[in-house]
């Protein structure tokens, strides 16, 4: 591989970087569709399999716990640094597609939860390697590039709400289609994708490196920022549709469920724009400033919106859109810090461990929101989420001294 003139790196990223971004972002979006499938089919499975509210929630939570187990295993064995990232994406996509496809045999509630967990486990071989592979293409606009990738994932996360709002699709078709798309994502990554010129050094196997990654203070601070961000993000995505549906019901809408799903799609999908804007600002203004600003705005929205459950719908929707934009605008910038300031031999391991712990923190808030809401209402439930942005902002302000 030809060496890159360091001076050129400072001025611009290499030719072909945006084509590389397009291929890898498309591959990751397709590869992660089996993650989104649960949200799209649970309303039908709730009736067909007589799922309780708790079992319905676990159909989603199982994927996240499986992802955590897979990510921790990958970090422990340095898989994201020992196996070429695009090949690991292919392996992960094959496993996730097969696990998802097995739902068609209708294995029962327990079997379905286990298969969803396996799907998440294999997807730990798709998401973190995709971020590492993309980083090989960018130096100057790395935050923007990773922001676009997370934006694609955000749009994918919103899509099930659109599907449900438009009446839904047969669950078997959704499972079959998402399995095919996930497999296609892995194939695209391995056979159509290319590595950029800024490759990371090869790493020897070192199981202790997973935990030593956090001994590096910039990595530790960026990870704390990410943990605060994740405390808020997935609970907001999961429960906003319930909240907005209740607002519509209070307003007397005839079919609040369908309209609520469509409004939830808009609120989550606008985060894709937020990811791009956050990337642009991160590259120009600094990761510490950008992430802090996003978390201050999202935390303020979390504190405010619960008090608006009886307010006019346009006001609720406006605050919701601002929240949806800000809550994920910072997401990719935490990973960007790892690729820039972490041990370059073990970037994949550090990214994977950061993601694993972050997803662990989504579970308590997903569970706590309905408990707190039933006891004290939406102001307390959503206000609980503001704890994450407060902690994250403090950490990212301390990170600023390490930014070049």
């Amino acid at each position: 591989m030809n060496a890159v003139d360091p001076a050129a790196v400072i001025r611009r990223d290499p030719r072909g970087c945006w084509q590389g971004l397009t291929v890898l972002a498309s591959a990751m979006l397709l590869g992660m569709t089996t993650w989104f499938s649960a949200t799209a089919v649970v309303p039908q499975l709730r009736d067909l399999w007589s799922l309780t509210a708790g079992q319905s929630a676990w159909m989603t939570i199982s994927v996240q716990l499986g992802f955590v187990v897979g990510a921790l295993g990958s970090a422990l064995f340095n898989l994201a640094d020992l196996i070429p990232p695009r090949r690991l994406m292919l392996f992960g996509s094959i496993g996730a597609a097969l696990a998802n496809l097995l739902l068609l045999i209708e294995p029962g509630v327990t079997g379905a939860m286990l298969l969803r967990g396996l799907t998440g486990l294999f997807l730990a071989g798709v998401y973190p390697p995709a971020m590492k592979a993309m980083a090989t293409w960018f130096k100057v606009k790395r935050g923007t590039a990773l922001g676009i990738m997370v934006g694609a994932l955000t749009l994918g996360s919103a899509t099930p709400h659109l599907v449900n709002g438009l009446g839904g699709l047969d669950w078997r078709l959704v499972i079959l289609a998402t399995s095919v798309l996930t497999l296609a994502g892995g194939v695209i990554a391995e056979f159509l994708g290319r590595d950029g010129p800024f490759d990371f050094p090869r790493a020897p196997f070192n199981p202790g490196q997973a935990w030593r990654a956090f001994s590096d203070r910039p990595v530790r601070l960026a990870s704390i920022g990410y943990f605060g961000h994740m405390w808020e993000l997935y609970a907001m995505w999961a429960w906003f549709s319930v909240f907005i549906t209740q607002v519509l019901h209070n307003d007397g809408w005839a079919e609040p469920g369908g309209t609520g799903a469509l409004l939830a799609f808009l609120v989550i999908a606008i985060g894709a724009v937020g990811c791009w804007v956050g990337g642009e600002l991160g590259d120009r203004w600094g990761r510490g400033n950008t992430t802090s600003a996003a978390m201050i705005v999202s935390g303020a929205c979390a504190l405010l919106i619960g008090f608006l459950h009886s307010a006019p719908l346009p006001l609720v929707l406006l605050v919701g859109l601002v929240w949806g934009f800000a809550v994920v605008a910072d997401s990719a910038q935490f990973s960007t810090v790892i690729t820039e300031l972490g041990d370059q031999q073990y970037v994949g391991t550090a990214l994977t461990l950061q993601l694993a712990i972050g997803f662990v923190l989504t579970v308590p808030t997903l569970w706590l929101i309905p408990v707190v809401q039933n006891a004290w209402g939406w102001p307390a439930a959503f206000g609980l989420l503001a704890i994450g942005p407060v902690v994250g902002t403090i950490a990212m302000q301390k990170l600023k001294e390490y930014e070049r």
Side-chain angles (χ1 to χ4, degrees):
M1 186 177 296
N2 293 331
V4 178
D5 177 9
V9 174
I10 295 174
R11 290 195 298 268
R12 63 181 181 180
D13 291 307
R15 181 177 299 177
C17 61
W18 297 107
Q19 292 92 324
L21 168 64
T22 301
V23 172
L24 284 170
S26 300
M28 186 182 75
L29 177 59
L30 293 172
M32 295 294 287
T33 51
T34 45
W35 186 301
F36 315 137
S37 62
T39 306
V41 303
V42 160
Q44 293 179 56
L45 296 183
R46 186 184 298 124
D47 297 329
L48 290 172
W49 295 357
S50 301
L51 299 179
T52 65
Q55 290 171 332
S56 299
W58 275 100
M59 288 291 286
T60 298
I61 293 173
S62 295
V63 185
Q64 296 185 217
L65 291 178
F67 181 90
V68 169
V69 172
L72 288 174
S74 176
L76 179 63
F77 293 103
N78 310 141
L79 295 184
D81 296 303
L82 296 174
I83 301 174
R86 293 183 291 105
R87 187 156 305 152
L88 187 54
M89 290 177 68
L90 174 62
F91 294 157
S93 295
I94 292 171
L98 289 174
N100 192 60
L101 197 61
L102 286 173
L103 287 172
L104 294 178
I105 68 173
E106 301 188 36
V109 176
T110 301
M113 289 181 186
L114 289 173
L115 288 173
R116 294 305 294 160
L118 276 176
T119 301
L121 184 147
F122 285 114
L123 289 177
V126 176
Y127 185 18
M131 304 289 277
K132 181 181 177 182
M134 177 52 58
T136 67
W137 277 107
F138 290 88
K139 286 281 192 181
V140 177
K141 303 286 284 184
R142 184 175 288 182
T144 301
L146 293 179
I148 290 172
M149 288 196 76
V150 175
L153 192 62
T154 300
L155 193 59
S157 298
T159 301
H161 293 285
L162 177 63
V163 172
N164 291 330
L166 295 176
L169 295 171
D170 181 79
W171 74 273
R172 295 174 185 84
L173 177 61
V174 172
I175 294 300
L176 178 61
T178 52
S179 297
V180 171
L181 291 174
T182 288
L183 181 60
V187 171
I188 288 171
E190 172 67 357
F191 298 107
L192 297 183
R194 292 185 298 127
D195 294 330
F198 309 124
D199 202 4
F200 294 95
R202 298 298 177 191
F205 174 61
N206 184 354
Q209 185 61 35
W211 305 109
R212 275 200 292 274
F214 290 135
S215 65
D216 187 351
R217 192 164 188 261
V219 170
R220 187 168 64 249
L221 290 171
S223 296
I224 293 171
Y226 180 73
F227 301 155
H229 156 76
M230 291 294 280
W231 174 267
E232 177 189 25
L233 177 63
Y234 273 81
M236 183 272 186
W237 279 358
W239 290 104
F240 184 83
S241 61
V242 177
F243 169 73
I244 197 68
T245 299
Q246 189 176 103
V247 171
L248 292 167
H249 182 268
N250 293 341
D251 259 8
W253 285 64
E255 296 184 6
T259 304
L262 292 175
L263 294 180
F265 166 76
L266 293 176
V267 166
I268 297 172
I270 200 173
V273 181
C275 289
W276 167 62
V277 173
E280 291 282 358
L281 289 175
D283 289 332
R284 299 180 185 185
W285 193 29
R287 318 287 175 211
N289 284 329
T290 299
T291 54
S292 296
M295 286 188 284
I296 289 169
V297 173
S298 67
C301 290
L303 290 171
L304 172 63
I305 199 165
F307 292 99
L308 303 179
H309 58 89
S310 299
L313 179 62
L315 177 60
V316 179
L317 184 58
L318 175 62
V319 176
L321 288 169
V322 173
W323 195 13
F325 180 96
V327 74
V328 73
D330 52 353
S331 190
Q333 303 313 301
F334 302 109
S335 299
T336 305
V337 171
I338 300 293
T339 68
E340 292 173 336
L341 302 182
D343 183 339
Q344 296 298 286
Q345 279 193 309
Y346 293 98
V347 162
T349 294
L351 279 173
T352 304
L353 188 59
Q354 183 193 64
L355 290 168
I357 298 174
F359 274 93
V360 168
L361 290 173
T362 66
V363 175
T365 49
L366 283 169
W367 176 78
L368 279 170
I369 288 293
V371 174
V372 175
Q373 194 274 329
N374 287 332
W376 296 290
W378 286 112
F382 282 147
L384 176 70
L385 300 183
I387 296 171
V390 170
V391 174
T393 299
I394 293 170
M396 295 308 288
Q397 283 297 296
K398 292 182 179 179
L399 178 82
K400 287 165 57 176
E401 65 182 272
Y402 294 96
E403 293 189 271
R404 292 188 290 269

